[in-house]
Amino acid sequence: MKNKILLTTALFIFCLNLCFSQSYVGFHAGLNSGKFSGDSPRNFIYKGKLQYNFGIDFDVRLKDDLFLSISPGYLFSGSKLQYPYEDIEEEKKEYRDSVDLKLYMISVPLYLKIISDNEKYQFLGGLDFGFPTKVLADNSVEEKDLYDEVNNFTVSMIFGLGYRVHFTNSLMLINLGFSQGITNLANNIDDQDTYMPRVRLSTWRFSIAYMLPVGKGKNTSD
Amino acid sequence: MRVLAQDENNTPRLNDHFFVPVCMIASPFIKSSFTTNLGIAQSSEFENVILEIDDEKYYGLTGSLLFADLEFEYQQKIKDWIALYISYNLTARVGTEFQSFISQGVSTVSSFRIGWLVRILETEKFMLSGDIQINNHSATFITVSEFVKDIIENDTITSITRNVPILNMNGGLRFAYGINKVFGIQGFADLGYGDSYRRGKSDFIYRTGGGIDANLASTTKVPLGFSLFFTASALPDYVHVAGKSALGTGLKISYSAAPHFNIGLEITKMRIPVPNIDDKVQSTSLFISSKYYFN
């Protein structure tokens, strides 16, 4: 199923690039800070975790200031679980790391990119389709595989903005975005359990992309 | 002599009518603006259900509920046809007497909302926009009666505090019509889907409202605007009971002579569903609502 979706996506992008006037292809890499939000085990809280992402980018021009973008890539994400620890001697309470939840997924964001009038800024909005490939819980003693306990398909909504740096024949993009998971990560396979945990991934992403123009049309500054 | 100078005014207008913003009515205008709403409400007295065991309700004395609401919203115009907005809302509800405190407890719902507003159609008199948003709510309930019920009925020791994360998406249409310099009409309708207060279930939710406003500052020396409106909402930040909705009507009186700013008082009568009570309770709310337009 995953392979079919990726292949269809690749064919779609190839056809679009042939048909539309000047578009861009490139690659990106960056950092992301992800955190699970929603239900956590009793007395535990989720904490953000800094990881990284990389992928390729296709920007298909729809209008002078509007692009349809797709950026398939790989996302290393997850969250930390912290528990409350009371230091009796110092009489203070603090949260300490307990379990490291690792979530690795293929990410296929599809979004609209709106370019500002001065062609220096861009605003993003769309959906991110995620396909988890590995889900682990590491408590520093052992690593447990949680792949069967999460859904194998997730959808997030993306919002972001970026800065465009124009070179003679290429473009560099500096992007900051936020994605909020819409679908539940937890796989509620036990219908007898009335307590259905709601867990979603919310991620801040920073990335730098390098893009080259392709397709028909004159080579404008954008 | 008119109070408002048209060319310097950022307030949304159609057909030379400057619209009065209402916090209960979503605006279709693509503007950069910052909005704050601060309000309190009190319900009428109702008979409290102290305990419900095996579908049998045990009533206590009458009591009422007090509500407080705080909201901030920022909207940024990106192009003439599209804007991005984010908002944060905090709603708290508490029983005012001991018996309503035991029955209803304390609940707070914090909501973070982010969305896009897109202009679909604009003429001299009419504007239509579409919006899509994602709402992330976090509800906390402190309910003594539910805690006791869990122990008696389900034979489990649970916490007196329940946390319910709720996420849903809305989409809808907003419109405005400038009848003439004095009168205008605004309205909207949203439909959404997502989590409800009942775990394991997802619900459709809706929100709609509309009103007619009169801005005297356009044609007289009186710097006031008025709006008469209605609202109906099943959103989790207003309605803490799954599958039900709150209905209300209201009046807004505002200072509308400033070219970039509007501030006013909204008085709303609502019928709100309350947990463990079959009938909706009446509530009266007062909101101080302010909006600053950047462009």
Side-chain angles (χ1 to χ4, degrees), chain A residues 37-39 42 65-66 114-117 123-125 157-159 178 180-182 194-198 200, chain B residues 78-79 81-82 84 114-116 132 134 136 158-159 163-167 169 195-196 198-201:
Chain A
S37 59
D39 293 316
R42 182 182 288 228
D65 57 1
L66 187 66
I114 303 158
I115 312 301
S116 65
D117 290 336
F123 300 90
L124 325 171
M157 204 153 170
I158 314 172
F159 301 86
F178 174 73
Q180 170 64 56
I182 301 169
T194 57
Y195 182 81
M196 302 285 190
R198 293 172 177 172
R200 293 180 176 94
Chain B
I78 296 169
K79 293 280 198 181
W81 55 275
I82 192 168
L84 174 72
I114 186 167
W116 291 97
I132 184 164
I134 186 168
N136 196 355
T158 61
S159 173
N163 296 308
V164 185
I166 297 166
L167 190 103
M169 278 182 68
D195 295 331
S196 77
R198 290 172 297 201
R199 287 184 182 278
K201 286 191 176 291

Side-chain angles (χ1 to χ4, degrees), chain A residues 90-118:
Chain A
E90 293 188 24
E91 292 181 359
K92 66 175 182 180
K93 204 174 180 182
E94 58 184 15
Y95 279 95
R96 290 190 174 179
D97 289 347
S98 171
V99 180
D100 187 0
L101 299 167
K102 301 173 185 174
L103 176 64
Y104 306 149
M105 62 164 70
I106 295 172
S107 164
V108 186
L110 178 69
Y111 49 90
L112 285 176
K113 195 181 281 187
I114 303 158
I115 312 301
S116 65
D117 290 336
N118 62 8

Side-chain angles (χ1 to χ4, degrees), chain B residues 82-211:
Chain B
I82 192 168
L84 174 72
Y85 60 90
I86 56 173
S87 76
Y88 176 77
N89 181 284
L90 180 63
T91 306
R93 187 197 71 188
V94 63
T96 55
E97 291 92 18
F98 177 74
Q99 52 275 14
S100 54
F101 180 81
I102 293 294
S103 161
Q104 300 296 324
V106 178
S107 63
T108 61
V109 180
S110 65
S111 309
F112 175 71
R113 185 171 290 133
I114 186 167
W116 291 97
L117 181 65
V118 178
R119 186 186 67 200
I120 298 172
L121 175 69
E122 185 177 8
T123 65
E124 187 189 340
K125 288 188 178 183
F126 179 75
M127 181 154 189
L128 179 69
S129 297
D131 80 296
I132 184 164
Q133 62 184 217
I134 186 168
N135 308 294
N136 196 355
H137 309 278
S138 177
T140 301
F141 299 98
I142 302 172
T143 320
V144 175
S145 59
E146 290 289 323
F147 173 67
V148 171
K149 182 181 166 185
D150 279 343
I151 294 175
I152 295 174
E153 269 195 354
N154 302 322
D155 195 24
T156 56
I157 303 295
T158 61
S159 173
I160 202 168
T161 305
R162 285 186 302 132
N163 296 308
V164 185
I166 297 166
L167 190 103
N168 48 57
M169 278 182 68
N170 291 3
L173 296 173
R174 309 176 182 186
F175 78 91
Y177 182 75
I179 301 171
N180 54 37
K181 282 184 183 175
V182 177
F183 294 101
I185 298 174
Q186 298 182 81
F188 77 102
D190 278 349
L191 185 65
Y193 185 77
D195 295 331
S196 77
Y197 283 107
R198 290 172 297 201
R199 287 184 182 278
K201 286 191 176 291
S202 296
D203 280 336
F204 280 99
I205 51 171
Y206 77 95
R207 186 175 70 129
T208 187

Side-chain angles (χ1 to χ4, degrees), chain B residues 7-70:
Chain B
D7 293 340
E8 299 168 347
N9 203 314
N10 285 335
T11 308
R13 74 175 187 213
L14 289 169
N15 197 23
D16 286 340
H17 170 73
F18 292 91
F19 286 86
V20 176
V22 178
C23 71
M24 295 283 189
I25 301 178
S27 168
F29 296 99
I30 310 294
K31 292 274 184 186
S32 294
S33 63
F34 182 71
T35 306
T36 59
N37 299 313
L38 175 64
I40 57 169
Q42 180 151 3
S43 75
S44 57
E45 292 205 336
F46 56 90
E47 220 172 348
N48 289 280
V49 174
I50 300 295
L51 280 179
E52 184 179 349
I53 301 171
D54 292 336
D55 296 331
E56 187 167 348
K57 295 183 180 179
Y58 296 84
Y59 289 92
L61 301 173
T62 57
S64 62
L65 290 172
L66 187 68
F67 302 84
D69 189 283
L70 175 65

